[in-house]
């Protein structure tokens, strides 16, 4: 994703590039790209606070009453945050190990998109609308947390989800087919009265129903439509078990393998030297099968 | 389901039948029934694209505004796709190993149903309504995917669901009894005001509630009715755990057996050198069928 | 629950009591209380069909339009079924091993309640309303199924639920406390406008929300109320994991113990006579650890 | 939380403090702080009954019709319960091992908050509103139950939840980011018509939707908005699997440790005769701590 930014243990290449630079660029790099010094951590916390404040300002400005009364303050805040984020983006470009890599990385693109809308708003009316994309910068929080206890949790979740991927696609495919078939049937059974005025709208209703959201803006009125709807509800209620089962089993598996490790217990898989048995608990000091010290 | 179509490794019988045929029938068979040549794969992708486009056209035509403006285009598309699917159906009939078997197979029936409504629409007004059944052809996608990584996923899901079958029936029976009893009670407690005008309608409401869909088109107004409704909600909220538990446990079990293989992991399936049996546990040191050391 | 009715393998006492009776009472007992002869099975199926038909008739009669047009037919059917169930109840009383035990058993009481409302309806207007209680007789279906493959499924489900009992009570207690606290808060925050006119009503809303039913008949209008509601939703969405986790783990445990047995595979827990290892698969013929024949 | 109150087996310090006191203080302490004598249990049951009655009275008073008719009775009850709880609080202060510790403990604060609102209501109008906080006293029920079979259940639940903590935080973070991004998008796509009048309101809608609550007070009207809503629903429907998986896996893990004991099963916990360690796996033949054969 963003190989431009070094891991805690810097690679030799990064060290070499940094060493050849002016002192201030080394310092700035350490603060804004790395997270393991007090200055680096402080910067991260300030940055996340600024992102959250900035997004809150954008959200509040969208509320008519607040916008009327506190509009100038909020717009000033927006410009202030945009200015700060622009400076930060400039510093990142100036100190990144590889400018090209950073600019094209996931976070690099997000960083640019976070400041662009305000400037576009000067030229095109309404361009500011997209400023809320700035919230994506908050995802950066995962990078900071990565250095602490969260590392295992996040990696474990992603691993389990990736392993479940194929099965979840199969499941979604089955759900979507059901939804199109039942939605179309409802369009012909219910007609425009209950709100099933077209197939796409009926399919939308079927999704609202199978996921058990149930807004109630569209709902069947005829007995036969209600029977079909009841069937769809029970289907949705029952098959939620499928993704749940898939993810649970994958998670249980992950815990088995690198699980111990990522849960914060630093025990590598232990093997008895005498009988080669594995599966020992993290706190075991003797093989549970033959009693020889591990 | 559809034994008429051969697996990747053709059976000797299929080879024999094919060998006795004209070259073009062999070629067509390979393209439309098999999925392992570039031409076969290309055909599958085109077919699925055509199905999706065709269904999209039908769905769009059901939207009044679009139908008024783009009606002729959509109807032309419908005839075009119907023509293509008719030709395809004819070719399938002409090249299937056993015409009878194909015509009666699940996919054979779907293939026919996918083209019939358009023709029926010429004779009977509104006959076209059922054309959306064409979406079921999309299920064919599972056959194509079967050849790749999906094979394990799909089989595993079905296996777990089949194994959970009895328990899920018991569960559904309990849910339906609760729903009838509570629905009837609500009819007497609430009367017609809140919308509980008849027992079937009240049972419909109970299903909407126990599955946590909650449209809100019918909702209890009296205190005692709300107490009963609250009970039903908590019941529904709690017992969702039952099918989830069932499916999860079955999936965990299935993973034990052929699981390793299908998850894409590199754990080689252990085979007994003596009797060639597979499915040995990770900790097994001897073949569980013949007792020879693995 | 109903020890008055014998299991498949009759106990000596039952045999003794039956032997001392007239031939017809033995026959009737065998047919209506036991399920293992063709006559007994036929009776069970007819009985369940009659119950379902009878309940359907009651449900249809509650629909105004149907009641107006087909009232006489439905009322005749009701009397017919009541007559049949009365005769059946009389025969059960006449042939039960212990009349007292049967009359007080769960199914005995249900059998009586299934016929009483119709008779009460003659004296007290509206007494018939409770006739729908007849649906509970359908639970008898579990007794019939018990003899077939369902035996394991039902017992397994109940076992897992009973084992989870305490934890589920703790969970429900926590949910109810949250619901009362948040419901009361909403009453003070929202007032009568949004529908939060009293604490009980607000608690009802909180239950509708935490269980993710969400009717929408009552919904917060003030920003602070919406924040609290959002919190309650995410709480409800997250803690559904708790009962699910509890039941799943209990089910997984049950499978370990008597699981194999109840899943329809009649393998008792197998132990290797040579090395005393257990955990062999149902189809294993040799110990997977030492290779000795099981 | 509240170390001021002793466990069943009193610590020597508690014994010493108690021994130095007057007889009545020892008696009162035993009744109101301990739960293992008949008098202590009786007191606990009366207390919980009083709390529930008191909360019920407060809830009923908030219903306009009931308040008008039975107002005086309910207000008398409120004062009666407040008086009783005040006396009880006084006795707790008078007999606690450490007054300071009790007053600052979780239950100490709740006990005070349970009586304050009634008195404040005398001075400040509406102060009584917060009396419902009294329901939190009911949590004391966990302390009583702790002495019986619930001990394992509660501890096990908390343990599993704590172990899942980090992963659940990561999950919630991802959910909240999605909700802000999609809510903002909907604000721009739908505008004020469908109710998406501001970003905070749209984010509220997104939470209502992703948690599958679905009130329906705000719902998308434009086709593009409905597509995005459908995506959000399926997302919410699918990712419920994540917390469920997390909690289930943690629970399954916990069961490994102290699980056996708390489930009430007769599997004797295996103890090493040499070092008295427990927690051995079912298949262990040697103590995992000291290596001596079990």
């Amino acid at each position: 994703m963003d190989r431009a930014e070094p891991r805690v243990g810097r690679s030799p290449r990064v060290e070499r590039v940094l060493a050849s630079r002016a002192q201030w660029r080394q310092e700035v790099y350490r603060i804004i790209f790395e997270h393991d010094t007090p200055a680096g951590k402080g910067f991260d916390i300030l940055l996340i606070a600024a992102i959250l404040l900035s997004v809150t300002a954008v959200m509040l400005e969208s509320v008519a009453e607040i916008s009327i009364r506190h509009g100038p303050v909020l717009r000033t805040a927006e410009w202030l945050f945009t200015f700060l984020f622009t400076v930060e983006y400039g510093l990142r470009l100036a100190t990144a190990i590889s400018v090209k890599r950073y600019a094209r990385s996931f976070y690099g693109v997000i960083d640019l998109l976070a400041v662009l809308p305000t400037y576009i708003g000067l030229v095109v009316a309404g361009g500011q609308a997209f400023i809320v994309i700035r919230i994506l910068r908050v995802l950066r929080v995962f990078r900071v947390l990565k250095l602490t206890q969260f590392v295992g949790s996040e990696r474990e979740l992603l691993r389990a989800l990736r392993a479940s991927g194929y099965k979840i696609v199969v499941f979604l495919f089955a759900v979507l087919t059901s939804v199109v078939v039942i939605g179309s049937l409802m369009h012909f059974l219910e007609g425009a009265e209950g709100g099933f005025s077209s197939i796409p709208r009926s399919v939308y209703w079927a999704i609202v129903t199978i996921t058990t959201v149930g807004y109630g803006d569209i709902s069947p009125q005829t007995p036969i439509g209600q029977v079909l709807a009841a069937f769809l509800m029970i289907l949705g209620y029952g098959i939620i078990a499928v993704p749940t089962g898939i993810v649970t089993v994958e998670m249980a598996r992950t815990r088995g393998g690198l699980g111990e490790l990522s849960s914060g217990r630093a025990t590598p898989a232990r093997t008895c030297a005498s009988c080669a048995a594995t599966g020992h608990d993290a706190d075991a000091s003797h093989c549970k099968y033959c009693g020889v010290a591990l």
Side-chain angles (χ1 to χ4, degrees), chain A:
Chain A
M1 222 135 83
D2 46 355
R3 293 195 195 130
E5 306 188 19
R7 294 281 162 271
V8 182
R10 288 180 183 168
S11 74
R13 199 181 71 88
V14 170
E15 287 291 2
R16 217 168 39 239
V17 173
L18 282 178
S20 68
R21 285 184 172 175
Q23 190 63 30
W24 73 268
R25 282 182 71 192
Q26 288 191 33
E27 282 298 309
V28 170
Y29 177 85
R30 175 170 286 279
I31 292 171
I32 65 174
F33 278 113
E34 296 190 340
H35 319 282
D36 53 348
T37 58
K41 275 187 189 164
F43 176 80
D44 288 330
I45 290 166
L46 278 180
L47 181 59
I48 286 165
I51 295 166
L52 289 177
L53 274 175
S54 152
V55 169
T56 306
V58 176
M59 287 175 75
L60 289 178
E61 213 195 325
S62 77
V63 184
E65 305 95 78
I66 296 176
S67 180
I68 290 164
R69 289 173 57 189
H70 306 288
V73 177
L74 293 169
R75 265 184 296 277
T76 309
E78 191 189 318
W79 274 106
L80 182 72
F81 285 120
T82 303
F83 174 72
L84 288 175
F85 293 156
T86 310
V87 169
E88 184 217 339
Y89 185 65
L91 285 174
R92 282 186 191 269
L93 284 179
T95 63
I97 299 298
S98 157
V99 175
K100 218 164 138 189
R101 268 198 177 165
Y102 164 69
R104 290 178 180 178
S105 74
F106 175 74
Y107 288 111
V109 171
I110 293 289
D111 290 350
L112 181 61
L113 288 178
V115 294
L116 274 190
T118 317
Y119 296 118
I120 292 175
L122 288 179
V123 189
V124 188
Q128 266 163 290
F130 299 101
I131 206 173
V132 88
I133 218 164
R134 200 171 268 181
I135 186 70
L136 286 177
R137 290 204 75 192
V138 151
L139 290 176
R140 195 176 288 268
V141 80
F142 285 122
R143 313 210 46 211
V144 182
L145 295 173
K146 213 177 253 168
L147 297 173
T148 62
Q149 320 87 325
F150 284 79
V151 59
S153 304
E154 194 195 348
R155 212 183 287 163
E156 220 174 282
L157 275 183
L158 284 178
R159 204 170 219 269
L161 288 178
R162 213 172 307 135
S164 328
Y166 290 131
K167 257 169 289 171
I168 292 217
V169 167
V170 168
F171 171 74
L172 281 182
F173 219 94
V175 166
L176 287 178
T177 310
S178 318
V179 150
V180 169
V181 171
I182 294 184
S184 306
L185 269 174
M186 287 301 278
H187 172 58
F188 298 119
L189 289 173
E190 284 280 325
E193 265 171 88
F196 298 84
S197 53
S198 69
I199 296 183
R201 212 171 140 77
S202 304
V203 169
Y204 165 71
W205 165 84
I207 293 174
V208 169
T209 300
I210 206 173
T211 58
T212 78
V213 169
Y215 285 139
D217 50 349
I218 314 172
S219 67
Q221 304 300 326
T222 64
I224 182 78
Q226 292 182 341
V227 168
L228 196 61
F231 168 76
L232 189 64
M233 285 166 211
I234 291 174
L235 185 70
Y237 184 65
I239 60 177
I240 182 73
V242 175
T244 306
I246 294 168
V247 172
T248 305
V249 170
E250 284 309 330
M251 277 183 178
R253 295 199 111 208
T254 310
R255 294 318 292 273
L258 94 165
E260 297 299 334
L261 208 98
S262 60
S263 72
R265 310 193 198 164
T267 8
R270 297 162 74 191
T271 311
C272 175
S274 167
C275 71
T278 55
H280 301 297
D281 292 338
D283 59 346
S285 56
H286 290 257
C287 171
K288 64 182 178 181
Y289 299 110
C290 69
V292 166
L294 289 168

